Amino acid sequence: MDGRRVVVTGMGVVSPLGHTPAQMFDNLVAGKSGISRFEAFDSSAYDTRIAGEIRDLVVTDYIEPKEARRMDRFTQFGVIAAQKCVEDAGIDFGQCDRDRFGVVLGSGIGGMQVFQKECQVLFERGPARVSPLLIPMLIPDICPGLVSIRHGLKGVNYTTVSACASAAHAIGLAFTHIRLGEADGILAGGSEAPINPIGIAGFNAMHAMSTRNDEPERASRPFDLHRDGFIMGEGGGVLLLEELEHARRRGARIYAELGGYGFSADANHITAPDPSGDGALRSMQQALRSANLPPVSVDYINAHGTSTPLNDKTETLAIKTLFGDHAWRLSISSSKSMLGHLLGASGAAEAIATIMSIQRQIVHPTANLETPDPLCDLDYTPNRARERRVEVALSNSFGFGGHNVTLLLKRFAG
């Protein structure tokens, strides 16, 4: 793919392992888990009682109390992550063409908390008592809308909704707008806040989540033979993607280059991945083609790595099919083993972790990989971080509905 070069000049994150990229990555490298018994509501009746819950964020440090009350929790996470990203980038939008700066943020579910709350009001007190703020608090696109209002950004503005691929889709589409000359910069990423009664009950009904409640920190175990499902998490992540020459003119710090992306569909099943790994394979292939790079150039893959029986073996199969002998020379790891699965925000948080690997030349571990699944026989960086050369990396995100996204990130070479 020819076009303008796109670089990452700012990063902001709100996560169960910290609220700066450095803090989150330091905890990942140390093998620290952000998963514990959740406190958002009484979990005693639920099969799963553990999650990657955020407890130490003071929302009103970033958002005025009245404004915060008018936002669902997922929006708060997205607005705060965007604010942190803007501050990290050191950008003054007043010195930019605001018509050429935009916001693309994904969310797999949107305002789940306000939806549950107002449904209870409807059933218990009648339709006249439903809040007039229900709809603007519920809809997923309100988050990029509020971020654009907050920063006066008048360019491209929308939401991507593709389950656990939502944030990665947002980043890939933002990349496309910039590369085609339609924008100079875009705040891209995603946010999610699904830890509530209906969210936990729904995923439990699907038997998708781990029920290893007695050992929360050991429950998420991607690629391990005894994995029994994912662990839900919450949070938000935002990257400032910027056209290279624009970034240079303002003297921006450049974290990494976004070299390409791949999008594909499994066209197989509403929740299960294609057992051949074909969709994941084509997503990674397209990312490499769009960056004009061969498979042997890749050093590291931040895997989707959900700790579900089906995903981990099909993702492994796709990697082996694409990379051949080089697959065994790759370093691979799953951030979800410690963060939990941030659903629609996961692609952004994991892209940030991938960039930090490029910056630090270190790969964080896959935690809890104690008994490798014989079908998962690659180097998943088990339990201990490893220093290694990381020049080119892939970040995979796959979602219910068969949505697949791969982002290709590489060291900025000037």
Side-chain angles (χ1 to χ4, degrees):
M1 181 189 292
D2 296 322
R4 307 193 309 167
R5 292 172 69 185
V6 180
V7 292
V8 179
T9 58
M11 300 189 290
V13 71
V14 175
S15 85
L17 284 177
H19 309 320
T20 68
Q23 184 183 32
M24 181 183 77
F25 192 70
D26 286 347
N27 283 326
L28 287 169
V29 168
K32 182 177 179 180
S33 176
I35 298 165
S36 61
R37 185 157 181 153
F38 58 78
E39 300 176 353
F41 61 92
D42 180 4
S43 64
S44 57
Y46 294 79
D47 293 337
T48 297
R49 298 185 286 279
I50 55 178
E53 187 176 38
I54 293 173
R55 299 174 186 166
D56 58 348
L57 181 72
V58 181
V59 170
T60 52
D61 285 349
Y62 304 92
I63 306 171
E64 291 294 325
K66 181 179 179 180
E67 187 182 6
R69 288 194 296 272
R70 293 169 176 257
M71 296 180 188
D72 188 87
R73 188 169 170 86
F74 95 97
T75 303
Q76 294 173 351
F77 290 154
V79 167
I80 293 169
Q83 180 67 42
K84 287 174 169 287
C85 178
V86 170
E87 292 172 357
D88 181 63
I91 190 167
D92 179 357
F93 289 122
Q95 301 298 312
C96 303
D97 182 350
R98 293 179 188 268
D99 291 350
R100 293 187 58 79
F101 272 78
V103 188
V104 182
L105 299 177
S107 182
I109 302 175
M112 191 176 242
Q113 295 196 353
V114 71
F115 184 67
Q116 172 162 317
K117 176 185 174 184
E118 293 302 320
C119 281
Q120 288 178 313
V121 170
L122 172 65
F123 299 145
E124 294 171 5
R125 302 170 65 187
R129 302 307 294 270
V130 170
S131 171
L133 293 172
L134 167 61
I135 300 304
M137 290 177 69
L138 166 68
I139 51 179
D141 68 294
I142 204 66
C143 190
L146 286 171
V147 170
S148 72
I149 292 167
R150 192 178 184 95
H151 298 285
L153 306 182
K154 299 181 179 181
V156 59
N157 188 278
Y158 59 92
T159 285
T160 51
V161 180
S162 50
C164 307
S166 298
H169 264 134
I171 294 167
L173 289 166
F175 166 86
T176 303
H177 288 299
I178 297 170
R179 200 156 197 187
L180 293 177
E182 298 167 351
D184 293 331
I186 297 177
L187 293 168
S191 61
E192 204 81 272
I195 304 172
N196 52 60
I198 193 66
I200 299 291
F203 280 107
N204 270 162
M206 296 174 65
H207 303 289
M209 292 197 299
S210 173
T211 56
R212 199 185 294 263
N213 297 305
D214 294 335
E215 42 185 7
E217 295 182 352
R218 300 180 65 234
S220 183
R221 43 185 56 238
F223 309 107
D224 188 88
L225 182 64
H226 303 298
R227 64 192 184 275
D228 69 329
F230 78 87
I231 301 295
M232 188 179 287
E234 62 180 357
V238 177
L239 311 177
L240 177 58
L241 305 184
E242 201 169 346
E243 191 273 323
L244 174 58
E245 295 308 318
H246 189 282
R248 280 175 165 158
R249 285 195 297 272
R250 71 175 188 88
R253 170 186 51 197
I254 295 174
Y255 285 109
E257 182 169 359
L258 182 54
Y261 69 90
F263 297 164
S264 74
D266 282 353
N268 173 68
H269 187 270
I270 58 171
T271 57
D274 185 326
S276 73
D278 176 67
L281 166 66
R282 289 183 290 106
S283 180
M284 291 187 286
Q285 283 177 325
Q286 183 182 336
L288 287 163
R289 283 197 301 269
S290 74
N292 294 314
L293 290 173
V296 293
S297 67
V298 177
D299 304 302
Y300 168 57
I301 298 176
N302 187 296
H304 187 53
T306 55
S307 186
T308 56
L310 292 179
N311 172 84
D312 296 359
K313 66 181 181 181
T314 57
E315 186 172 11
T316 297
L317 178 59
I319 292 169
K320 289 194 284 191
T321 302
L322 173 58
F323 289 95
D325 291 343
H326 185 64
W328 280 267
R329 293 190 288 272
L330 292 165
S331 287
I332 305 167
S333 63
S334 170
S335 302
K336 294 180 181 73
S337 64
M338 294 166 277
L339 281 173
H341 192 345
L342 276 57
L343 304 186
S346 61
E350 291 161 17
I352 290 170
T354 304
I355 291 168
M356 293 300 295
S357 285
I358 294 170
Q359 283 278 304
R360 302 266 190 93
Q361 297 288 284
I362 188 168
V363 172
H364 75 68
T366 299
N368 305 315
L369 182 46
E370 297 166 352
T371 307
D373 184 334
L375 296 176
C376 300
D377 55 351
L378 299 176
D379 180 2
Y380 307 104
T381 323
N383 304 309
R384 290 182 181 274
R386 184 182 309 143
E387 293 183 1
R388 72 154 291 168
R389 177 179 176 270
V390 182
E391 298 292 316
V392 177
L394 303 181
S395 181
N396 283 335
S397 297
F398 311 140
F400 285 172
H403 311 295
N404 306 300
V405 180
T406 300
L407 303 175
L408 187 147
L409 294 145
K410 61 183 183 178
R411 178 179 288 278
F412 176 65

